[in-house]
Amino acid sequence: MAAPHTPPATRRPGWAMADLVLMVVLGVVFGFAYWALVQAWNGLSILMGPAGDLAQHVLFGGWLLVAPIAVAIIRRPFAGIAAEVIASVVEVVFLGSPVGPTLMIAAAIQGAGSELPFALTRYRRFGWAVFAVAGLLGAGLVFFYSAFRSGWYGQEIFALRLAVQCLSGIVLGGLLAKVVVDALARTGVVDNFAIGRQRDRS
Amino acid sequence: MSGLARAGTGSPLARRNPTVKLALLAVVSLVAMFLLDPVTPTVLYLVGLAAVAFSAGAAPRTLLVAHVPFLLFGLGVLVVNALSRPGVAVWQAGPLRVTEEGLSVGAALAARTLLIGVLAVGFLLSTDGVALMTSLHQNARLGARITYAVLAGYRMLQEMPREWSTIRHAHAVRAGLPGGGRAADGQGDGDGERDRDGAGVDGDDDGRPGRAGTPSVRPPGRAGTPAVHPPRGPRHLVGVVFTLLVVSVRKGERMAQALESRGLGLQPRTTWRPLPVTGQDWALAAGVVLVVAAVIAASAALGTLQGPGALFEPAPRPAG
């Protein structure tokens, strides 16, 4: 899409508009899907009876999905954090969440955890292992913040909570993200983003 | 779900600056994170409930319905904490044991949920989405590109329920075809090559009926009744969510081009319908901060206030 005339040279925007909008779109779709996830969480917690509160850890990885997906498609620093925060803004400001704006802090921590492994590979490696570590860190880092916010410290099931949440992060927030990214790439809708350009080059 | 769509315009709270309201909601939520005795957040909740009921212009029934998720969530938190916290047992049956400390912390967390919940409801009921983004751009210096990207996303969110049902129906139509309506060329992944729209669901550019050669009529569910229910089950749901994602990504790309071609990102910008921060907004902010501070100070003076320490140490026992 070459512009017929040169764009104003005063300021080169760091982010292409398409990348920004893609992050918002991911945030909106996942914000919408997270709402469905909350219903699943409610259902699961009823099914699990007295252990129902652990249901949130079982499904936790689902809330991490958007960050690794955004990073793998856009391949820019802070894409994961931004996408996760935007998704939380959609959840809090437009859909309404009982957790309130402190959810955005959690989202930023989650995004940072998920993005860290990709940043360490300088946004060059997108294999299963990197995704798995992203899910692990995304779930692991935010756990200590959530534990403070929700008063899990001092509970007898603290270690169990951490283990279940990390496992969920690896599977739902890491490996599943890779499945989604690959499926998206196959449809061709992300060909015009960094992920498509990268593939053309190699 | 979409409280903003129904935002009233006449109520006193609706006339306040959206950025100020959002900032106050954030501040109170943050402060509430550090209150871990049951009394202080309960008092704040009751004050907040009264304030929202009077200033947001919401019908009592609306407020009541909005409470349901917070009540359920709060109840869950209360039960888990009562059962899973060490301390002085007040009730025991087999492996289940309710502790005094657990009840106290659980009640504190449940009251916090209600407090943040009722304030969030007040915010949603009194704030228009477009006004919020305009205000964030103007009053909170949010970049124009992000502002308009989010606004475009907000519009997309409003259309999403309709999009969702369109996709479900499209999948339902195809569910009657052999092989679940997937391309019958043995590729296994019909989404990839044949149509690049996920599952060809847009409807506007892929309307070929009965691709696999059979008429696209579902087998009747019961004697003679044409089955019009979309298929259910997790697999179907995953397909719908993925299609929604693909369709939305494509739509987003078009939106980005539209925004750029209309000169978004050029400087300097002007704002249509500017939203000033008025003296009344400052008064609202000062009022909220004063009330919260007064409640906490009173609670501290009366000795009921407890911070995060309540999570780790046994609750103070009354002397004697």
Side-chain angles (χ1 to χ4, degrees), chain B residues 22-120:
Chain B
L22 187 62
L24 285 173
L25 179 59
V27 167
V28 176
S29 303
L30 268 178
V31 170
M33 254 171 66
F34 294 89
L35 304 175
L36 277 146
D37 66 284
V39 180
T40 319
T42 306
V43 172
L44 283 175
Y45 160 68
L46 292 174
V47 173
L49 178 65
V52 167
F54 281 112
S55 68
R61 193 173 169 277
T62 315
L63 265 184
L64 201 67
V65 171
H67 265 72
V68 171
F70 311 136
L71 280 172
L72 289 178
F73 186 78
L75 192 67
V77 170
L78 175 63
V79 169
V80 166
N81 276 284
L83 290 175
S84 71
R85 237 165 230 292
V88 186
V90 289
W91 180 84
Q92 195 149 12
L96 295 180
R97 174 180 53 94
V98 172
T99 64
E100 207 172 288
E101 284 81 355
L103 279 177
S104 168
V105 170
L109 294 171
R112 181 204 296 170
T113 305
L114 287 175
L115 164 64
I116 298 178
V118 79
L119 295 183

Side-chain angles (χ1 to χ4, degrees), chain A residues 27-162:
Chain A
V28 167
V29 175
F30 280 94
F32 188 74
Y34 289 170
W35 182 81
L37 194 59
V38 171
Q39 313 309 311
W41 166 26
N42 288 338
L44 186 64
S45 54
I46 290 168
L47 279 182
M48 286 169 74
D53 197 52
L54 287 171
Q56 59 184 303
H57 304 293
V58 176
L59 294 174
F60 184 82
W63 275 276
L64 296 170
L65 269 176
V66 73
I69 293 176
V71 170
I73 296 174
I74 300 174
R75 307 197 167 177
R76 265 176 177 282
F78 303 112
I81 298 174
E84 195 69 52
V85 170
I86 290 176
S88 76
V89 170
V90 168
E91 254 184 295
V92 171
V93 176
F94 293 117
L95 297 175
S97 154
V99 188
T102 51
L103 189 70
M104 297 179 202
I105 302 174
I109 301 174
Q110 279 169 229
S114 294
E115 185 161 342
L116 192 60
F118 296 103
L120 289 177
T121 70
R122 300 210 280 162
Y123 303 93
R124 286 195 188 146
R125 282 173 203 281
F126 296 90
W128 290 101
V130 187
F131 274 93
V133 176
L136 175 68
L137 288 184
L141 284 190
V142 80
F143 181 83
F144 298 95
Y145 167 76
S146 308
F148 172 71
R149 198 183 65 187
S150 314
W152 297 333
Y153 291 112
Q155 286 185 352
E156 286 154 350
I157 48 175
F158 185 76
L160 180 65
R161 282 182 187 275
L162 179 61

